Amino acid sequence: MTLSERIKNKALSLGFDLIGIAPAREARHKTAFLSWLDQNLHADMKWIERNPDRRADPRLVVDDARSVIAVGVSYFVCNPPPGIWNDPSRGRIARYAWVSDYHKVIEHRLKELSAFLQNEAGSETKTRYYVDTGPILERDNASLAGLGFIGRNSMLISPSLGSYVFLGEIIASVELEYDEPTDDEGLNMKVESGGKPKASCGKCRRCLDVCPTHALPAPYVVDSSRCISYLTIECRDAIPPELRPKMGNWIFGCDECQQICPWVHRYSEPKESPFLSYDPERVAPRLVELMSMEEQAFRERFAGSPVMRAKYRGLMRNAAVAMGNWGSEEALPVLNRAARHDDVLIREHATWAIQRISAG
C-alpha cells in the first residue's frame, strides 16, 4: 500500500468516519472569507480576524507544508423522546454538546495519527494538528479533500453522513496522494454517468428559510450577530431584545439549519460508540431546575461538557430567555429570585422574561 493508503487505514482504525487528503494551498473561499470579515459578520469574535492570510493558507501555519489530512467524526444522535425534546419547559442544547468534550477525544486520535505519519514518513516530517481551534479554514480544506460539499448554511455536508460531523486536520510537510475535491460550493445538481446526482444543495433553501433569527441572509453567508449559536455561546453581553422571542428554548447552540436538511434526514445515522452516549435529562434540562442552580452546581453538572464554554452567567442568561418564551407562570418564582441576582446580565434577562410572561 502507498503511504496515503496506510494513513487512511490507520485513521479508520482510530475511529474516524471520514478521511481525505488535500494539497496544502490557499483556501478556495479566501475571497469570500475576507469579504465576510470586512462586513463584520463575525460579530465580536475578534480572534477570527487575526492573521486572516494565515488562516486561509496552511503553508503559513507549517513550514514546508505540502498536505492537509482532513478527518471527520459523526456526532449524530437521535432526538430524546418527544415528551422531553418538545417540552417548552426544558432548554434545548445543540447536538454537538450532548457528548463529552470532543476536542480531547479527537485530539487524542489525531495525535496518534500524526505519530503514525511521522513513523512512516520519517521523523523529520513536520506536522501540526487541530480540532476546531487552529488558524485554518476547516470546511474549506475538508471539501478540498473530498469529505463533502459546502451547503447553503455554510456547513460541510458529507453525502454519506450529513452535516453532524466534527472536523479535524493534520498539516504535514510531506507530499501525499490527493483526493478529488468536491465541486466548489456544490451549486449545481450535475449528473454523473449512471444518472446519479452529484452531492449539492440543488435548489433547496430550507436552511435559509427555517432560521428563526434570519441569520442566513444569503446562501453561504452567516450573520453571526443574529445566529442563535453565537448569541448563546460566544456572545458575552446582553442578547438584543428583538431577537430573544425568536430563540425559542435553545439555551446552548442551535441545530435548526441542520435538522431541516434533506441530506441529514436521509443519511444521518447514530453510531455505536461510547463517545456518543448522552443523558436525555442533560441535553434538555428543565429550565426551572437550571435557573435555580448556583455556579458550583453548574460546574459540577456540566464538567467536561462543551456547555462550560457559555459560562455560568451566559447559561443563566440563556435560560431566562427560554423561560420568557415558555411563558408559564411556573417560571416566575425562580425568575423573581434571578431578578435580584448580583450579576447585572442575569438580572436584566430575568426581568425581561418576567415582563414577557406577565404580558401574556
Side-chain angles (χ1 to χ4, degrees), residues 62-91:
V62 173
D63 291 338
D64 301 322
R66 295 289 184 270
S67 304
V68 178
I69 302 167
V71 296
V73 178
S74 171
Y75 65 90
F76 178 78
V77 184
C78 291
N79 286 338
I84 292 177
W85 191 235
N86 297 327
D87 184 349
S89 71
R90 294 175 177 268

Side-chain angles (χ1 to χ4, degrees), residues 164 204 206-207 210 255-262 264-265:
Y164 290 116
C204 180
R206 296 178 193 180
C207 56
V210 78
D255 285 332
E256 296 287 352
C257 70
Q258 293 194 80
Q259 60 191 17
I260 195 78
C261 177
V264 168
H265 279 278

Side-chain angles (χ1 to χ4, degrees), residues 13-307:
S13 72
L14 290 171
F16 291 113
D17 298 311
L18 299 172
I19 169 71
I21 305 174
R25 45 163 280 188
E26 187 174 84
R28 293 191 291 179
H29 302 93
K30 179 180 178 179
T31 300
F33 170 59
L34 295 178
S35 174
W36 184 75
L37 289 177
D38 288 342
Q39 297 174 69
N40 292 315
L41 293 173
H42 57 304
D44 288 332
M45 295 183 286
K46 300 300 182 183
W47 49 270
I48 296 180
E49 65 188 43
R50 292 197 295 266
N51 299 316
D53 289 331
R54 185 169 183 257
R55 187 175 293 275
D57 193 335
R59 294 171 299 184
L60 301 179
V61 178
V62 173
D63 291 338
D64 301 322
R66 295 289 184 270
S67 304
V68 178
I69 302 167
V71 296
V73 178
S74 171
Y75 65 90
F76 178 78
V77 184
C78 291
N79 286 338
I84 292 177
W85 191 235
N86 297 327
D87 184 349
S89 71
R90 294 175 177 268
R92 283 189 175 188
I93 292 176
R95 210 176 235 94
Y96 88 88
W98 292 5
V99 299
S100 56
D101 192 337
Y102 63 93
H103 296 95
K104 295 179 181 178
V105 176
I106 298 177
E107 279 180 359
H108 178 72
R109 297 179 186 178
L110 282 173
K111 183 179 181 179
E112 286 195 52
L113 185 59
S114 182
F116 175 83
L117 170 59
Q118 289 180 315
N119 184 64
E120 294 286 313
S123 58
E124 72 281 359
T125 302
K126 300 174 186 177
T127 64
R128 187 169 294 177
Y129 54 86
Y130 296 112
V131 184
D132 195 28
T133 55
I136 185 170
L137 298 181
E138 291 188 313
R139 297 169 192 175
D140 190 287
N141 281 279
S143 68
L144 190 62
L147 266 59
F149 65 96
I150 306 296
R152 285 198 168 93
N153 59 0
S154 84
M155 302 296 293
L156 182 94
I157 301 176
S158 161
S160 60
L161 294 176
S163 60
Y164 290 116
V165 178
F166 293 130
L167 297 176
E169 55 282 318
I170 298 174
I171 306 172
S173 63
V174 61
E175 198 85 31
L176 297 170
E177 297 173 2
Y178 304 127
D179 291 283
E180 182 181 354
T182 57
D183 285 344
D184 191 26
E185 298 180 330
L187 286 175
N188 300 307
M189 284 293 285
K190 300 177 182 178
V191 177
E192 297 176 330
S193 59
K196 181 181 178 181
K198 292 186 73 173
S200 80
C201 291
K203 297 180 179 179
C204 180
R205 50 171 293 125
R206 296 178 193 180
C207 56
L208 279 70
D209 295 337
V210 78
C211 180
T213 56
H214 303 294
L216 299 169
Y220 318 106
V221 177
V222 178
D223 182 350
S224 299
S225 67
R226 302 186 66 87
C227 178
I228 293 175
S229 288
Y230 166 79
L231 294 171
T232 57
I233 302 173
E234 301 295 340
C235 178
R236 301 303 181 192
D237 300 319
I239 296 172
E242 68 274 13
L243 296 180
R244 297 175 195 176
K246 303 177 185 297
M247 294 170 60
N249 61 336
W250 288 105
I251 60 171
F252 186 88
C254 177
D255 285 332
E256 296 287 352
C257 70
Q258 293 194 80
Q259 60 191 17
I260 195 78
C261 177
W263 287 98
V264 168
H265 279 278
R266 184 171 181 180
Y267 294 106
S268 293
E269 295 182 0
K271 299 285 185 178
E272 293 183 5
S273 170
F275 172 54
L276 298 177
S277 61
Y278 74 99
D279 176 3
E281 291 292 331
R282 189 174 179 180
V283 305
R286 302 174 194 274
L287 292 170
V288 170
E289 179 183 335
L290 197 65
M291 201 73 193
S292 302
M293 288 193 308
E294 297 295 336
E295 186 164 1
Q296 183 58 36
F298 160 77
R299 293 180 180 278
E300 292 173 358
R301 181 166 184 172
F302 294 105
S305 163
V307 175

